[in-house]
Amino acid sequence: SPALHLRHCHELAERGWVAATIEYRLSPEARWPAALEDVRCAIRWMRGNAAAIGLDPARLAVSGGSAGGHLAALAALAPPGRWEGAGGHAGQPSNVQAAVLWYPVTDLALPGSPLEAQPMVAAFLGTDDAEVVAEASPVTHVSGDAPPILTITGADDALVRPVMIEAFHDALDAVGVDNELVVYDGRDHGFDLHPADWSVSAQVAYDFLEQRLC
């Protein structure tokens, strides 16, 4: 739900940032890569309306949590011109200058992941073909051209295990991408939505954005 990130948007706006929270098509309404096409369309919309909303189109970041983190990672990493869809603002680029990921799914095929071979993956992709699973995994698209990436997660996350995210950041390190991984001990999936953890973890994200884009 876009409502999950309204608080981030409000706090970013208070700090002088332009912020928006978006919708994307879900399965079974639409299959891969429809959701990513929607994210890239939203990025193009932001740039196409930059003057009206006060956006600096050269300093645009993408963020998301869990499934949204998966899409945010793909939006930051996928090759330019691919999975753009036909949603409008075709003349605008969909690249971003930074990404903030909250407990993202980074590899749909990682052995040992609770997501491995589960029906939700096949439902999202419309297939269990190994090549499609790989192309829909952010880790597949890691390259030295990637923007700075921050990931925030919990050490006890039972849905998106830290080993998956650690492997993703190892891949970023291997090609020299500016990245940070912040892991909170004793925290599970969605931990940041609890009041006790909100301010500290959100501040990490804001600091990262200010250091990379300001």
Side-chain angles (χ1 to χ4, degrees), residues 128-166:
D128 57 3
D129 180 84
E131 290 188 9
V132 179
V133 170
E135 77 169 5
S137 296
V139 70
T140 301
H141 304 286
V142 168
S143 75
D145 296 327
I149 295 176
L150 165 69
T151 300
I152 301 171
T153 195
D156 293 344
D157 195 320
L159 181 62
V160 180
R161 295 180 183 173
V163 65
M164 174 193 293
I165 296 173
E166 290 165 359

Coordinates of all heavy atoms in Angstrom, one line a residue, residues 128-166:
D128 N 7.8 -20.2 -13.4 CA 8.9 -20.6 -12.5 C 10.1 -20.8 -13.3 O 11.1 -21.4 -12.8 CB 8.5 -21.8 -11.7 CG 8.2 -23.0 -12.5 OD1 8.2 -22.9 -13.7 OD2 7.8 -24.0 -11.9
D129 N 10.2 -20.4 -14.6 CA 11.3 -20.5 -15.4 C 12.6 -19.9 -14.8 O 12.5 -18.7 -14.4 CB 11.1 -19.9 -16.8 CG 12.3 -20.0 -17.7 OD1 12.4 -21.1 -18.4 OD2 13.1 -19.1 -17.8
A130 N 13.7 -20.6 -14.7 CA 14.9 -20.1 -14.0 C 15.4 -18.8 -14.6 O 15.9 -17.9 -13.9 CB 15.9 -21.2 -14.1
E131 N 15.3 -18.7 -15.9 CA 15.8 -17.5 -16.6 C 15.0 -16.2 -16.2 O 15.6 -15.2 -16.0 CB 15.9 -17.6 -18.1 CG 17.0 -18.6 -18.6 CD 17.1 -18.6 -20.1 OE1 16.5 -17.7 -20.7 OE2 17.8 -19.5 -20.6
V132 N 13.7 -16.4 -16.1 CA 12.8 -15.3 -15.7 C 13.1 -15.0 -14.2 O 13.1 -13.8 -13.9 CB 11.4 -15.6 -16.0 CG1 10.5 -14.5 -15.5 CG2 11.2 -16.0 -17.4
V133 N 13.2 -16.0 -13.4 CA 13.5 -15.8 -12.0 C 14.8 -15.0 -11.8 O 14.9 -14.0 -11.0 CB 13.6 -17.1 -11.2 CG1 14.1 -16.9 -9.8 CG2 12.2 -17.8 -11.2
A134 N 15.8 -15.3 -12.6 CA 17.1 -14.6 -12.5 C 16.9 -13.1 -13.0 O 17.4 -12.2 -12.4 CB 18.1 -15.3 -13.4
E135 N 16.2 -12.9 -14.1 CA 16.2 -11.6 -14.6 C 15.3 -10.7 -13.7 O 15.5 -9.4 -13.8 CB 15.6 -11.6 -16.1 CG 14.1 -11.7 -16.2 CD 13.6 -11.4 -17.6 OE1 14.5 -11.2 -18.5 OE2 12.4 -11.5 -17.8
A136 N 14.4 -11.3 -12.9 CA 13.6 -10.5 -12.0 C 14.3 -10.3 -10.7 O 13.6 -9.8 -9.7 CB 12.2 -11.1 -11.9
S137 N 15.5 -10.7 -10.5 CA 16.2 -10.6 -9.3 C 17.2 -9.5 -9.3 O 18.1 -9.4 -10.3 CB 17.0 -11.9 -9.0 OG 16.1 -13.0 -8.8
P138 N 17.2 -8.5 -8.4 CA 18.1 -7.4 -8.5 C 19.5 -7.7 -8.5 O 20.3 -7.1 -9.2 CB 17.7 -6.6 -7.2 CG 16.3 -6.9 -7.0 CD 16.1 -8.3 -7.4
V139 N 19.9 -8.8 -7.8 CA 21.4 -9.2 -7.8 C 21.9 -9.5 -9.2 O 23.1 -9.2 -9.5 CB 21.6 -10.3 -6.8 CG1 21.0 -11.6 -7.4 CG2 23.1 -10.5 -6.5
T140 N 21.1 -9.9 -10.1 CA 21.5 -10.2 -11.5 C 22.0 -9.0 -12.2 O 22.8 -9.1 -13.1 CB 20.3 -10.9 -12.2 OG1 19.9 -12.1 -11.6 CG2 20.7 -11.2 -13.7
H141 N 21.4 -7.8 -11.8 CA 21.7 -6.6 -12.6 C 22.7 -5.7 -11.9 O 22.9 -4.5 -12.4 CB 20.4 -5.8 -12.8 CG 19.3 -6.7 -13.5 ND1 19.4 -7.0 -14.8 CD2 18.2 -7.3 -13.0 CE1 18.4 -7.7 -15.1 NE2 17.7 -8.0 -14.0
V142 N 23.4 -6.2 -10.9 CA 24.4 -5.4 -10.3 C 25.6 -5.1 -11.2 O 26.1 -6.0 -11.9 CB 25.0 -6.1 -9.0 CG1 26.3 -5.4 -8.5 CG2 23.9 -6.1 -7.9
S143 N 26.0 -3.8 -11.3 CA 27.1 -3.4 -12.2 C 27.7 -2.2 -11.6 O 27.2 -1.5 -10.7 CB 26.6 -3.1 -13.6 OG 26.0 -1.9 -13.6
G144 N 28.9 -1.9 -12.1 CA 29.6 -0.7 -11.6 C 28.9 0.6 -11.9 O 29.3 1.6 -11.3
D145 N 27.9 0.6 -12.7 CA 27.1 1.8 -13.0 C 26.0 2.1 -12.0 O 25.3 3.1 -12.2 CB 26.5 1.7 -14.4 CG 27.6 1.6 -15.5 OD1 28.6 2.2 -15.4 OD2 27.3 0.9 -16.5
A146 N 25.8 1.3 -11.1 CA 24.7 1.4 -10.1 C 24.9 2.7 -9.2 O 26.1 3.0 -8.9 CB 24.6 0.2 -9.2
P147 N 23.8 3.3 -8.9 CA 23.9 4.5 -8.0 C 24.2 4.0 -6.5 O 24.1 2.8 -6.2 CB 22.5 5.1 -8.1 CG 21.6 3.9 -8.3 CD 22.4 3.0 -9.2
P148 N 24.5 4.9 -5.6 CA 24.6 4.5 -4.2 C 23.4 3.8 -3.7 O 22.3 4.3 -4.0 CB 24.9 5.9 -3.5 CG 25.4 6.8 -4.6 CD 24.8 6.3 -5.8
I149 N 23.6 2.8 -2.9 CA 22.5 2.0 -2.4 C 22.6 1.7 -0.9 O 23.7 1.3 -0.4 CB 22.4 0.6 -3.1 CG1 22.0 0.8 -4.6 CG2 21.3 -0.3 -2.5 CD1 22.0 -0.4 -5.4
L150 N 21.6 2.0 -0.1 CA 21.5 1.7 1.3 C 20.5 0.7 1.5 O 19.4 0.8 1.0 CB 21.1 3.0 2.1 CG 20.7 2.8 3.5 CD1 21.8 2.3 4.4 CD2 20.0 4.1 4.1
T151 N 20.8 -0.3 2.3 CA 19.8 -1.3 2.7 C 19.7 -1.3 4.3 O 20.7 -1.3 5.0 CB 20.1 -2.7 2.2 OG1 20.2 -2.7 0.8 CG2 19.0 -3.7 2.7
I152 N 18.5 -1.3 4.8 CA 18.2 -1.4 6.2 C 17.3 -2.6 6.4 O 16.3 -2.8 5.8 CB 17.4 -0.1 6.7 CG1 18.2 1.2 6.4 CG2 17.1 -0.2 8.1 CD1 17.5 2.5 6.6
T153 N 17.8 -3.5 7.4 CA 17.0 -4.7 7.6 C 17.2 -5.2 9.0 O 18.0 -4.6 9.8 CB 17.5 -5.8 6.6 OG1 16.6 -6.9 6.6 CG2 18.9 -6.3 6.9
G154 N 16.5 -6.2 9.4 CA 16.6 -6.8 10.7 C 17.3 -8.1 10.7 O 17.2 -8.9 9.8
A155 N 18.1 -8.4 11.7 CA 18.9 -9.6 11.8 C 18.1 -10.8 11.9 O 18.5 -11.9 11.6 CB 19.9 -9.5 13.0
D156 N 16.8 -10.7 12.5 CA 16.0 -11.8 12.7 C 14.8 -11.9 11.7 O 13.8 -12.5 11.9 CB 15.4 -11.8 14.1 CG 16.5 -12.0 15.2 OD1 17.6 -12.5 14.8 OD2 16.2 -11.7 16.3
D157 N 15.0 -11.3 10.5 CA 14.0 -11.2 9.5 C 13.8 -12.7 9.0 O 14.7 -13.3 8.4 CB 14.4 -10.3 8.4 CG 13.2 -10.0 7.4 OD1 12.4 -10.9 7.1 OD2 13.1 -8.8 7.0
A158 N 12.6 -13.2 9.2 CA 12.3 -14.6 8.8 C 11.8 -14.7 7.4 O 11.7 -15.8 6.8 CB 11.3 -15.2 9.7
L159 N 11.4 -13.6 6.8 CA 10.8 -13.6 5.4 C 11.9 -13.3 4.4 O 12.0 -14.0 3.4 CB 9.7 -12.6 5.3 CG 9.0 -12.5 3.9 CD1 8.3 -13.8 3.6 CD2 7.9 -11.4 3.9
V160 N 12.7 -12.3 4.6 CA 13.8 -11.9 3.7 C 15.0 -12.0 4.6 O 15.4 -11.1 5.3 CB 13.6 -10.5 3.2 CG1 14.8 -10.2 2.2 CG2 12.3 -10.3 2.4
R161 N 15.7 -13.2 4.5 CA 16.8 -13.5 5.4 C 18.0 -12.6 5.1 O 18.3 -12.3 3.9 CB 17.2 -15.0 5.2 CG 16.1 -15.9 5.7 CD 16.5 -17.3 5.6 NE 15.4 -18.2 6.0 CZ 15.4 -19.5 5.8 NH1 16.5 -20.1 5.3 NH2 14.4 -20.3 6.2
P162 N 18.7 -12.2 6.1 CA 19.9 -11.3 6.0 C 20.9 -11.9 5.0 O 21.6 -11.2 4.4 CB 20.4 -11.2 7.4 CG 19.2 -11.4 8.3 CD 18.4 -12.4 7.6
V163 N 21.0 -13.3 4.9 CA 22.1 -13.8 4.1 C 21.8 -13.4 2.6 O 22.8 -13.2 1.9 CB 22.1 -15.4 4.2 CG1 20.8 -16.0 3.7 CG2 23.3 -16.0 3.4
M164 N 20.6 -13.3 2.2 CA 20.3 -12.8 0.9 C 20.8 -11.4 0.6 O 21.4 -11.1 -0.4 CB 18.7 -12.9 0.6 CG 18.3 -12.3 -0.7 SD 16.5 -12.1 -0.8 CE 15.9 -13.8 -0.7
I165 N 20.5 -10.6 1.6 CA 20.9 -9.1 1.5 C 22.4 -9.0 1.6 O 23.0 -8.2 0.9 CB 20.1 -8.3 2.5 CG1 18.6 -8.4 2.2 CG2 20.6 -6.9 2.5 CD1 17.7 -7.7 3.3
E166 N 23.0 -9.8 2.4 CA 24.5 -9.7 2.5 C 25.1 -10.1 1.2 O 26.1 -9.5 0.8 CB 24.9 -10.6 3.7 CG 24.5 -10.1 5.1 CD 24.7 -11.1 6.1 OE1 25.1 -12.3 5.8 OE2 24.4 -10.8 7.3

